[in-house]
């Protein structure tokens, strides 16, 4: 299923290591299409660590259900966090890599999977 809803979460903490994006310890969730996280420890020697997480959901309802679920973790009081939803502005164009030569391939019709 193609993603129709996206959540981005940015977390900041002074010193130490980058805070783990909220609720990312559990790898499976209903409606979750994909997720990626970036961890930045001690950004430019400023003693500030950051993490950025992007999750792609089949629907906004699936994302909301996960946030309400018992598996969702409460925010850490020592960490500043910002979470915001995002929606596609147009049809999603899926891309992949050729399994033989690694060139970029993409579907001719937006929303369809590449060959």
């Amino acid at each position: 299923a193609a993603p129709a809803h996206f959540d981005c979460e940015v977390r900041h903490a002074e010193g130490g290591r980058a805070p783990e994006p909220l609720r990312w310890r559990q790898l499976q969730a209903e409606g979750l299409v994909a997720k990626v996280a970036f961890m930045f420890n001690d950004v430019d020697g400023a003693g500030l660590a950051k993490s950025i997480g992007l999750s792609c959901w089949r629907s906004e309802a699936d994302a909301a259900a996960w946030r309400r679920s018992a598996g969702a973790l409460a925010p850490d009081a020592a960490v500043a966090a910002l979470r915001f939803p995002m929606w596609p502005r147009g049809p999603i164009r899926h891309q992949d890599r050729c399994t033989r030569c690694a060139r970029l391939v993409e579907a001719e019709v937006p929303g369809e999977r590449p060959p």
Side-chain angles (χ1 to χ4, degrees):
H5 179 80
F6 304 85
D7 276 341
C8 184
E9 184 172 72
V10 180
R11 303 184 84 204
H12 312 271
E14 290 191 22
R17 46 185 269 259
E20 183 178 353
L22 203 56
R23 300 175 298 280
W24 286 46
R25 292 184 185 105
Q26 182 177 342
L27 299 177
Q28 300 296 320
E30 180 68 30
L32 181 64
V33 176
K35 63 184 170 185
V36 65
F38 304 92
M39 310 293 195
F40 304 95
N41 293 313
D42 196 23
V43 178
D44 282 338
L48 182 67
K50 297 180 182 245
S51 69
I52 301 171
L54 177 66
S55 57
C56 307
W57 297 88
R58 188 177 52 213
S59 70
E60 186 175 357
D62 288 332
W66 172 240
R67 286 191 299 275
R68 288 189 308 267
S69 74
L73 301 174
D76 184 343
V79 174
L82 169 67
R83 189 199 139 282
F84 53 93
M86 300 182 298
W87 296 269
R89 293 188 66 174
I92 295 174
R93 196 159 201 91
H94 295 276
Q95 298 179 333
D96 204 348
R97 295 277 176 184
C98 174
T99 56
R100 291 183 310 153
C101 66
R103 72 178 169 83
L104 186 65
V105 292
E106 123 179 339
E108 290 185 26
V109 177
E112 291 186 6
R113 299 283 181 191

